[in-house]
mmCIF file of all heavy atoms in Angstrom:
data_model
loop_
_atom_site.group_PDB
_atom_site.id
_atom_site.type_symbol
_atom_site.label_atom_id
_atom_site.label_comp_id
_atom_site.label_asym_id
_atom_site.label_seq_id
_atom_site.Cartn_x
_atom_site.Cartn_y
_atom_site.Cartn_z
ATOM 1 N N ARG V 1 -44.511 -71.585 27.047
ATOM 2 C CA ARG V 1 -44.208 -72.229 28.305
ATOM 3 C C ARG V 1 -42.708 -72.275 28.606
ATOM 4 O O ARG V 1 -42.141 -73.345 28.945
ATOM 5 C CB ARG V 1 -44.774 -73.679 28.339
ATOM 6 C CG ARG V 1 -46.297 -73.681 28.280
ATOM 7 C CD ARG V 1 -46.938 -72.933 29.476
ATOM 8 N NE ARG V 1 -48.371 -72.991 29.453
ATOM 9 C CZ ARG V 1 -49.113 -73.815 30.164
ATOM 10 N NH1 ARG V 1 -48.544 -74.668 30.981
ATOM 11 N NH2 ARG V 1 -50.429 -73.758 30.077
ATOM 12 N N PRO V 2 -41.997 -71.141 28.541
ATOM 13 C CA PRO V 2 -40.591 -71.129 28.981
ATOM 14 C C PRO V 2 -40.489 -71.277 30.432
ATOM 15 O O PRO V 2 -41.430 -71.001 31.201
ATOM 16 C CB PRO V 2 -40.131 -69.744 28.525
ATOM 17 C CG PRO V 2 -41.361 -68.862 28.558
ATOM 18 C CD PRO V 2 -42.465 -69.799 28.156
ATOM 19 N N GLN V 3 -39.312 -71.671 30.919
ATOM 20 C CA GLN V 3 -39.120 -71.769 32.345
ATOM 21 C C GLN V 3 -39.121 -70.393 33.020
ATOM 22 O O GLN V 3 -39.653 -70.217 34.150
ATOM 23 C CB GLN V 3 -37.822 -72.522 32.658
ATOM 24 C CG GLN V 3 -37.854 -73.974 32.213
ATOM 25 C CD GLN V 3 -36.473 -74.562 32.061
ATOM 26 O OE1 GLN V 3 -35.590 -73.932 31.469
ATOM 27 N NE2 GLN V 3 -36.307 -75.784 32.520
ATOM 28 N N VAL V 4 -38.601 -69.424 32.323
ATOM 29 C CA VAL V 4 -38.561 -68.062 32.780
ATOM 30 C C VAL V 4 -38.819 -67.161 31.598
ATOM 31 O O VAL V 4 -38.294 -67.433 30.480
ATOM 32 C CB VAL V 4 -37.237 -67.676 33.425
ATOM 33 C CG1 VAL V 4 -37.255 -66.262 34.011
ATOM 34 C CG2 VAL V 4 -36.811 -68.673 34.512
ATOM 35 N N VAL V 5 -39.559 -66.082 31.778
ATOM 36 C CA VAL V 5 -39.740 -65.088 30.722
ATOM 37 C C VAL V 5 -39.409 -63.708 31.322
ATOM 38 O O VAL V 5 -39.841 -63.420 32.442
ATOM 39 C CB VAL V 5 -41.210 -65.137 30.122
ATOM 40 C CG1 VAL V 5 -42.211 -64.922 31.191
ATOM 41 C CG2 VAL V 5 -41.347 -64.134 29.030
ATOM 42 N N ASN V 6 -38.574 -62.950 30.603
ATOM 43 C CA ASN V 6 -38.038 -61.668 31.130
ATOM 44 C C ASN V 6 -38.229 -60.540 30.094
ATOM 45 O O ASN V 6 -37.817 -60.688 28.939
ATOM 46 C CB ASN V 6 -36.560 -61.842 31.466
ATOM 47 C CG ASN V 6 -36.024 -60.753 32.360
ATOM 48 O OD1 ASN V 6 -34.928 -60.939 32.922
ATOM 49 N ND2 ASN V 6 -36.680 -59.605 32.533
ATOM 50 N N LEU V 7 -38.885 -59.511 30.512
ATOM 51 C CA LEU V 7 -39.061 -58.339 29.620
ATOM 52 C C LEU V 7 -37.743 -57.613 29.498
ATOM 53 O O LEU V 7 -37.083 -57.352 30.505
ATOM 54 C CB LEU V 7 -40.147 -57.432 30.132
ATOM 55 C CG LEU V 7 -40.455 -56.214 29.224
ATOM 56 C CD1 LEU V 7 -41.310 -56.663 28.054
ATOM 57 C CD2 LEU V 7 -41.153 -55.099 29.976
ATOM 58 N N THR V 8 -37.347 -57.246 28.299
ATOM 59 C CA THR V 8 -36.206 -56.396 28.083
ATOM 60 C C THR V 8 -36.655 -55.188 27.267
ATOM 61 O O THR V 8 -37.516 -55.311 26.361
ATOM 62 C CB THR V 8 -35.038 -57.120 27.330
ATOM 63 O OG1 THR V 8 -35.447 -57.503 26.047
ATOM 64 C CG2 THR V 8 -34.616 -58.315 28.150
ATOM 65 N N SER V 9 -36.093 -54.021 27.526
ATOM 66 C CA SER V 9 -36.520 -52.804 26.847
ATOM 67 C C SER V 9 -35.315 -52.151 26.155
ATOM 68 O O SER V 9 -34.201 -52.180 26.617
ATOM 69 C CB SER V 9 -37.178 -51.822 27.817
ATOM 70 O OG SER V 9 -36.235 -51.401 28.839
ATOM 71 N N ARG V 10 -35.617 -51.525 25.015
ATOM 72 C CA ARG V 10 -34.566 -50.896 24.222
ATOM 73 C C ARG V 10 -34.023 -49.657 24.990
ATOM 74 O O ARG V 10 -34.786 -48.926 25.569
ATOM 75 C CB ARG V 10 -35.085 -50.479 22.864
ATOM 76 C CG ARG V 10 -34.000 -49.898 21.944
ATOM 77 C CD ARG V 10 -34.574 -49.519 20.590
ATOM 78 N NE ARG V 10 -34.901 -50.683 19.797
ATOM 79 C CZ ARG V 10 -33.996 -51.341 19.024
ATOM 80 N NH1 ARG V 10 -32.742 -50.945 19.008
ATOM 81 N NH2 ARG V 10 -34.397 -52.376 18.294
ATOM 82 N N MET V 11 -32.703 -49.468 24.868
ATOM 83 C CA MET V 11 -32.093 -48.275 25.416
ATOM 84 C C MET V 11 -31.754 -47.343 24.273
ATOM 85 O O MET V 11 -31.284 -47.768 23.220
ATOM 86 C CB MET V 11 -30.831 -48.632 26.179
ATOM 87 C CG MET V 11 -31.080 -49.390 27.466
ATOM 88 S SD MET V 11 -29.537 -49.776 28.377
ATOM 89 C CE MET V 11 -28.831 -50.997 27.250
ATOM 90 N N TYR V 12 -31.995 -46.058 24.476
ATOM 91 C CA TYR V 12 -31.760 -45.058 23.446
ATOM 92 C C TYR V 12 -30.610 -44.116 23.785
ATOM 93 O O TYR V 12 -30.260 -43.290 22.964
ATOM 94 C CB TYR V 12 -33.010 -44.269 23.227
ATOM 95 C CG TYR V 12 -34.202 -45.090 22.681
ATOM 96 C CD1 TYR V 12 -35.133 -45.683 23.555
ATOM 97 C CD2 TYR V 12 -34.312 -45.371 21.300
ATOM 98 C CE1 TYR V 12 -36.116 -46.481 23.060
ATOM 99 C CE2 TYR V 12 -35.317 -46.174 20.820
ATOM 100 C CZ TYR V 12 -36.231 -46.757 21.688
ATOM 101 O OH TYR V 12 -37.244 -47.544 21.231
ATOM 102 N N ARG V 13 -30.046 -44.224 24.977
ATOM 103 C CA ARG V 13 -28.978 -43.326 25.414
ATOM 104 C C ARG V 13 -27.714 -44.115 25.682
ATOM 105 O O ARG V 13 -27.752 -45.114 26.390
ATOM 106 C CB ARG V 13 -29.407 -42.568 26.696
ATOM 107 C CG ARG V 13 -30.783 -41.912 26.615
ATOM 108 C CD ARG V 13 -31.050 -41.015 27.806
ATOM 109 N NE ARG V 13 -30.673 -41.627 29.084
ATOM 110 C CZ ARG V 13 -30.669 -40.976 30.242
ATOM 111 N NH1 ARG V 13 -30.994 -39.699 30.261
ATOM 112 N NH2 ARG V 13 -30.311 -41.598 31.354
ATOM 113 N N LEU V 14 -26.619 -43.640 25.141
ATOM 114 C CA LEU V 14 -25.322 -44.345 25.341
ATOM 115 C C LEU V 14 -24.942 -44.357 26.797
ATOM 116 O O LEU V 14 -24.314 -45.288 27.301
ATOM 117 C CB LEU V 14 -24.245 -43.656 24.514
ATOM 118 C CG LEU V 14 -24.366 -43.818 22.996
ATOM 119 C CD1 LEU V 14 -23.163 -43.143 22.317
ATOM 120 C CD2 LEU V 14 -24.442 -45.303 22.582
ATOM 121 N N GLU V 15 -25.358 -43.282 27.571
ATOM 122 C CA GLU V 15 -24.995 -43.271 28.986
ATOM 123 C C GLU V 15 -25.664 -44.375 29.769
ATOM 124 O O GLU V 15 -25.108 -44.897 30.712
ATOM 125 C CB GLU V 15 -25.331 -41.934 29.605
ATOM 126 C CG GLU V 15 -26.752 -41.434 29.443
ATOM 127 C CD GLU V 15 -26.948 -40.470 28.283
ATOM 128 O OE1 GLU V 15 -26.430 -40.738 27.184
ATOM 129 O OE2 GLU V 15 -27.623 -39.445 28.492
ATOM 130 N N ASP V 16 -26.844 -44.823 29.293
ATOM 131 C CA ASP V 16 -27.477 -45.967 29.923
ATOM 132 C C ASP V 16 -26.733 -47.272 29.571
ATOM 133 O O ASP V 16 -26.616 -48.188 30.438
ATOM 134 C CB ASP V 16 -28.916 -46.103 29.453
ATOM 135 C CG ASP V 16 -29.814 -44.982 29.990
ATOM 136 O OD1 ASP V 16 -29.484 -44.443 31.049
ATOM 137 O OD2 ASP V 16 -30.804 -44.616 29.354
ATOM 138 N N HIS V 17 -26.236 -47.365 28.326
ATOM 139 C CA HIS V 17 -25.482 -48.564 27.925
ATOM 140 C C HIS V 17 -24.206 -48.668 28.717
ATOM 141 O O HIS V 17 -23.736 -49.760 29.015
ATOM 142 C CB HIS V 17 -25.215 -48.507 26.428
ATOM 143 C CG HIS V 17 -24.857 -49.805 25.856
ATOM 144 N ND1 HIS V 17 -23.781 -49.975 24.984
ATOM 145 C CD2 HIS V 17 -25.434 -51.061 25.920
ATOM 146 C CE1 HIS V 17 -23.736 -51.258 24.566
ATOM 147 N NE2 HIS V 17 -24.697 -51.904 25.136
ATOM 148 N N ASN V 18 -23.610 -47.532 29.098
ATOM 149 C CA ASN V 18 -22.349 -47.507 29.795
ATOM 150 C C ASN V 18 -22.530 -47.607 31.322
ATOM 151 O O ASN V 18 -21.590 -47.914 32.060
ATOM 152 C CB ASN V 18 -21.551 -46.245 29.493
ATOM 153 C CG ASN V 18 -21.054 -46.193 28.093
ATOM 154 O OD1 ASN V 18 -20.745 -47.255 27.477
ATOM 155 N ND2 ASN V 18 -21.020 -45.025 27.506
ATOM 156 N N ASP V 19 -23.774 -47.354 31.798
ATOM 157 C CA ASP V 19 -24.041 -47.299 33.227
ATOM 158 C C ASP V 19 -23.982 -48.661 33.910
ATOM 159 O O ASP V 19 -24.790 -49.531 33.546
ATOM 160 C CB ASP V 19 -25.379 -46.632 33.445
ATOM 161 C CG ASP V 19 -25.702 -46.362 34.895
ATOM 162 O OD1 ASP V 19 -24.927 -46.771 35.778
ATOM 163 O OD2 ASP V 19 -26.720 -45.683 35.159
ATOM 164 N N PRO V 20 -23.116 -48.915 34.864
ATOM 165 C CA PRO V 20 -23.057 -50.239 35.520
ATOM 166 C C PRO V 20 -24.302 -50.496 36.369
ATOM 167 O O PRO V 20 -24.545 -51.671 36.809
ATOM 168 C CB PRO V 20 -21.771 -50.194 36.375
ATOM 169 C CG PRO V 20 -21.555 -48.727 36.584
ATOM 170 C CD PRO V 20 -22.056 -48.039 35.328
ATOM 171 N N ASN V 21 -25.080 -49.491 36.680
ATOM 172 C CA ASN V 21 -26.327 -49.725 37.398
ATOM 173 C C ASN V 21 -27.439 -50.317 36.496
ATOM 174 O O ASN V 21 -28.464 -50.783 37.011
ATOM 175 C CB ASN V 21 -26.852 -48.408 38.041
ATOM 176 C CG ASN V 21 -25.951 -47.933 39.137
ATOM 177 O OD1 ASN V 21 -25.430 -48.710 39.914
ATOM 178 N ND2 ASN V 21 -25.732 -46.602 39.177
ATOM 179 N N THR V 22 -27.247 -50.240 35.195
ATOM 180 C CA THR V 22 -28.190 -50.777 34.213
ATOM 181 C C THR V 22 -27.714 -52.155 33.753
ATOM 182 O O THR V 22 -26.606 -52.275 33.273
ATOM 183 C CB THR V 22 -28.337 -49.838 33.006
ATOM 184 O OG1 THR V 22 -28.734 -48.533 33.489
ATOM 185 C CG2 THR V 22 -29.374 -50.363 32.048
ATOM 186 N N VAL V 23 -28.536 -53.147 33.919
ATOM 187 C CA VAL V 23 -28.240 -54.505 33.505
ATOM 188 C C VAL V 23 -28.558 -54.679 32.018
ATOM 189 O O VAL V 23 -29.713 -54.550 31.645
ATOM 190 C CB VAL V 23 -28.920 -55.571 34.366
ATOM 191 C CG1 VAL V 23 -28.603 -56.959 33.824
ATOM 192 C CG2 VAL V 23 -28.504 -55.432 35.796
ATOM 193 N N LYS V 24 -27.558 -54.950 31.195
ATOM 194 C CA LYS V 24 -27.758 -55.193 29.780
ATOM 195 C C LYS V 24 -27.915 -56.677 29.486
ATOM 196 O O LYS V 24 -27.502 -57.515 30.263
ATOM 197 C CB LYS V 24 -26.569 -54.678 28.989
ATOM 198 C CG LYS V 24 -26.607 -53.144 28.705
ATOM 199 C CD LYS V 24 -26.421 -52.303 29.943
ATOM 200 C CE LYS V 24 -25.060 -52.362 30.525
ATOM 201 N NZ LYS V 24 -24.837 -51.393 31.620
ATOM 202 N N VAL V 25 -28.592 -56.971 28.344
ATOM 203 C CA VAL V 25 -28.849 -58.380 28.002
ATOM 204 C C VAL V 25 -28.636 -58.576 26.531
ATOM 205 O O VAL V 25 -28.943 -57.649 25.713
ATOM 206 C CB VAL V 25 -30.256 -58.817 28.435
ATOM 207 C CG1 VAL V 25 -31.336 -57.933 27.783
ATOM 208 C CG2 VAL V 25 -30.509 -60.298 28.156
ATOM 209 N N VAL V 26 -28.115 -59.728 26.162
ATOM 210 C CA VAL V 26 -28.048 -60.150 24.749
ATOM 211 C C VAL V 26 -28.735 -61.489 24.639
ATOM 212 O O VAL V 26 -28.743 -62.310 25.557
ATOM 213 C CB VAL V 26 -26.607 -60.234 24.210
ATOM 214 C CG1 VAL V 26 -25.990 -58.858 24.105
ATOM 215 C CG2 VAL V 26 -25.729 -61.132 25.139
ATOM 216 N N SER V 27 -29.393 -61.753 23.491
ATOM 217 C CA SER V 27 -30.127 -62.962 23.244
ATOM 218 C C SER V 27 -29.861 -63.544 21.883
ATOM 219 O O SER V 27 -29.379 -62.813 20.975
ATOM 220 C CB SER V 27 -31.615 -62.716 23.481
ATOM 221 O OG SER V 27 -32.073 -61.694 22.548
ATOM 222 N N ASP V 28 -30.182 -64.808 21.691
ATOM 223 C CA ASP V 28 -30.001 -65.409 20.360
ATOM 224 C C ASP V 28 -31.177 -65.124 19.500
ATOM 225 O O ASP V 28 -32.181 -64.530 19.944
ATOM 226 C CB ASP V 28 -29.692 -66.900 20.527
ATOM 227 C CG ASP V 28 -30.931 -67.752 20.913
ATOM 228 O OD1 ASP V 28 -32.039 -67.215 20.908
ATOM 229 O OD2 ASP V 28 -30.703 -68.949 21.257
ATOM 230 N N PRO V 29 -31.148 -65.486 18.215
ATOM 231 C CA PRO V 29 -32.263 -65.188 17.308
ATOM 232 C C PRO V 29 -33.630 -65.757 17.732
ATOM 233 O O PRO V 29 -34.695 -65.190 17.344
ATOM 234 C CB PRO V 29 -31.849 -65.770 15.973
ATOM 235 C CG PRO V 29 -30.325 -65.761 16.025
ATOM 236 C CD PRO V 29 -29.996 -66.069 17.463
ATOM 237 N N SER V 30 -33.641 -66.802 18.546
ATOM 238 C CA SER V 30 -34.910 -67.345 18.979
ATOM 239 C C SER V 30 -35.451 -66.637 20.217
ATOM 240 O O SER V 30 -36.557 -66.961 20.671
ATOM 241 C CB SER V 30 -34.730 -68.847 19.321
ATOM 242 O OG SER V 30 -34.006 -69.009 20.494
ATOM 243 N N GLY V 31 -34.695 -65.685 20.763
ATOM 244 C CA GLY V 31 -35.140 -64.978 21.936
ATOM 245 C C GLY V 31 -34.648 -65.573 23.284
ATOM 246 O O GLY V 31 -35.008 -65.142 24.326
ATOM 247 N N ARG V 32 -33.758 -66.510 23.160
ATOM 248 C CA ARG V 32 -33.148 -67.073 24.386
ATOM 249 C C ARG V 32 -32.060 -66.178 24.936
ATOM 250 O O ARG V 32 -31.165 -65.808 24.210
ATOM 251 C CB ARG V 32 -32.590 -68.461 24.139
ATOM 252 C CG ARG V 32 -31.966 -69.134 25.358
ATOM 253 C CD ARG V 32 -31.607 -70.555 25.103
ATOM 254 N NE ARG V 32 -31.105 -71.207 26.321
ATOM 255 C CZ ARG V 32 -31.162 -72.523 26.526
ATOM 256 N NH1 ARG V 32 -31.635 -73.325 25.581
ATOM 257 N NH2 ARG V 32 -30.690 -73.046 27.667
ATOM 258 N N ALA V 33 -32.145 -65.790 26.202
ATOM 259 C CA ALA V 33 -31.099 -64.945 26.793
ATOM 260 C C ALA V 33 -29.786 -65.658 26.858
ATOM 261 O O ALA V 33 -29.723 -66.843 27.266
ATOM 262 C CB ALA V 33 -31.551 -64.510 28.216
ATOM 263 N N LEU V 34 -28.730 -65.007 26.375
ATOM 264 C CA LEU V 34 -27.389 -65.566 26.423
ATOM 265 C C LEU V 34 -26.590 -65.084 27.589
ATOM 266 O O LEU V 34 -25.793 -65.876 28.156
ATOM 267 C CB LEU V 34 -26.665 -65.213 25.122
ATOM 268 C CG LEU V 34 -27.250 -65.782 23.814
ATOM 269 C CD1 LEU V 34 -26.504 -65.178 22.616
ATOM 270 C CD2 LEU V 34 -27.232 -67.317 23.814
ATOM 271 N N TYR V 35 -26.749 -63.791 27.935
ATOM 272 C CA TYR V 35 -25.930 -63.237 29.017
ATOM 273 C C TYR V 35 -26.542 -61.928 29.498
ATOM 274 O O TYR V 35 -27.120 -61.145 28.705
ATOM 275 C CB TYR V 35 -24.494 -63.027 28.526
ATOM 276 C CG TYR V 35 -23.480 -62.814 29.680
ATOM 277 C CD1 TYR V 35 -22.961 -63.971 30.299
ATOM 278 C CD2 TYR V 35 -23.092 -61.566 30.096
ATOM 279 C CE1 TYR V 35 -22.081 -63.839 31.352
ATOM 280 C CE2 TYR V 35 -22.194 -61.447 31.164
ATOM 281 C CZ TYR V 35 -21.667 -62.589 31.780
ATOM 282 O OH TYR V 35 -20.810 -62.485 32.855
ATOM 283 N N PHE V 36 -26.368 -61.713 30.757
ATOM 284 C CA PHE V 36 -26.752 -60.423 31.409
ATOM 285 C C PHE V 36 -25.497 -59.810 31.999
ATOM 286 O O PHE V 36 -24.666 -60.537 32.610
ATOM 287 C CB PHE V 36 -27.714 -60.618 32.563
ATOM 288 C CG PHE V 36 -29.085 -61.199 32.148
ATOM 289 C CD1 PHE V 36 -29.297 -62.538 32.062
ATOM 290 C CD2 PHE V 36 -30.124 -60.364 31.829
ATOM 291 C CE1 PHE V 36 -30.517 -63.071 31.698
ATOM 292 C CE2 PHE V 36 -31.356 -60.866 31.463
ATOM 293 C CZ PHE V 36 -31.584 -62.200 31.404
ATOM 294 N N SER V 37 -25.277 -58.544 31.836
ATOM 295 C CA SER V 37 -24.059 -57.944 32.338
ATOM 296 C C SER V 37 -24.286 -56.461 32.667
ATOM 297 O O SER V 37 -25.115 -55.760 32.067
ATOM 298 C CB SER V 37 -22.940 -58.015 31.262
ATOM 299 O OG SER V 37 -21.796 -57.422 31.788
ATOM 300 N N ARG V 38 -23.482 -55.980 33.595
ATOM 301 C CA ARG V 38 -23.464 -54.551 33.883
ATOM 302 C C ARG V 38 -22.538 -53.784 32.994
ATOM 303 O O ARG V 38 -22.524 -52.543 32.995
ATOM 304 C CB ARG V 38 -23.121 -54.352 35.373
ATOM 305 C CG ARG V 38 -24.217 -54.928 36.293
ATOM 306 C CD ARG V 38 -23.961 -54.699 37.767
ATOM 307 N NE ARG V 38 -25.041 -55.315 38.535
ATOM 308 C CZ ARG V 38 -26.232 -54.718 38.806
ATOM 309 N NH1 ARG V 38 -26.442 -53.524 38.294
ATOM 310 N NH2 ARG V 38 -27.151 -55.371 39.476
ATOM 311 N N ALA V 39 -21.752 -54.579 32.249
ATOM 312 C CA ALA V 39 -20.879 -53.946 31.208
ATOM 313 C C ALA V 39 -21.692 -53.695 29.976
ATOM 314 O O ALA V 39 -22.750 -54.287 29.759
ATOM 315 C CB ALA V 39 -19.727 -54.862 30.856
ATOM 316 N N PRO V 40 -21.268 -52.792 29.080
ATOM 317 C CA PRO V 40 -21.998 -52.504 27.861
ATOM 318 C C PRO V 40 -21.927 -53.661 26.846
ATOM 319 O O PRO V 40 -20.886 -53.798 26.145
ATOM 320 C CB PRO V 40 -21.389 -51.192 27.336
ATOM 321 C CG PRO V 40 -20.012 -51.136 27.909
ATOM 322 C CD PRO V 40 -20.089 -51.867 29.236
ATOM 323 N N ILE V 41 -22.926 -54.506 26.779
ATOM 324 C CA ILE V 41 -23.000 -55.573 25.776
ATOM 325 C C ILE V 41 -24.223 -55.367 24.907
ATOM 326 O O ILE V 41 -25.224 -54.917 25.398
ATOM 327 C CB ILE V 41 -22.983 -56.975 26.423
ATOM 328 C CG1 ILE V 41 -24.153 -57.113 27.443
ATOM 329 C CG2 ILE V 41 -21.657 -57.262 27.069
ATOM 330 C CD1 ILE V 41 -24.346 -58.492 27.950
ATOM 331 N N PRO V 42 -24.118 -55.683 23.601
ATOM 332 C CA PRO V 42 -22.887 -56.033 22.877
ATOM 333 C C PRO V 42 -21.920 -54.876 22.784
ATOM 334 O O PRO V 42 -22.341 -53.693 22.943
ATOM 335 C CB PRO V 42 -23.383 -56.459 21.497
ATOM 336 C CG PRO V 42 -24.677 -55.720 21.336
ATOM 337 C CD PRO V 42 -25.264 -55.667 22.697
ATOM 338 N N SER V 43 -20.657 -55.160 22.555
ATOM 339 C CA SER V 43 -19.649 -54.132 22.481
ATOM 340 C C SER V 43 -19.836 -53.142 21.324
ATOM 341 O O SER V 43 -20.255 -53.548 20.246
ATOM 342 C CB SER V 43 -18.279 -54.766 22.358
ATOM 343 O OG SER V 43 -17.245 -53.779 22.126
ATOM 344 N N ARG V 44 -19.569 -51.854 21.579
ATOM 345 C CA ARG V 44 -19.603 -50.873 20.534
ATOM 346 C C ARG V 44 -18.156 -50.566 20.034
ATOM 347 O O ARG V 44 -17.955 -49.585 19.306
ATOM 348 C CB ARG V 44 -20.203 -49.590 21.051
ATOM 349 C CG ARG V 44 -21.625 -49.740 21.649
ATOM 350 C CD ARG V 44 -22.287 -48.376 21.842
ATOM 351 N NE ARG V 44 -21.452 -47.380 22.500
ATOM 352 C CZ ARG V 44 -21.330 -47.230 23.806
ATOM 353 N NH1 ARG V 44 -21.982 -48.038 24.624
ATOM 354 N NH2 ARG V 44 -20.516 -46.330 24.329
#
């Protein structure tokens, strides 16, 4: 019963990670979203 649930999918291409048209997401160990960005997160 979360307030919002969002599907995230793994990226396999570095060009997708770098692409500002692709929204990246990072989450904590419990699955709570921490941040969404058009920048490549987490940093490589």
Side-chain angles (χ1 to χ4, degrees):
R1 295 301 181 100
Q3 293 161 315
V4 184
V5 58
N6 196 164
L7 183 77
T8 63
S9 61
R10 185 179 288 276
M11 292 181 290
Y12 296 94
R13 310 188 315 171
L14 292 182
E15 55 262 46
D16 291 333
H17 199 227
N18 292 327
D19 186 351
N21 292 321
T22 303
V23 176
K24 278 69 68 173
V25 58
V26 291
S27 57
D28 71 12
S30 72
R32 180 172 185 154
L34 297 174
Y35 198 82
F36 296 89
S37 181
R38 296 183 180 276
I41 57 172
S43 171
R44 305 193 312 273

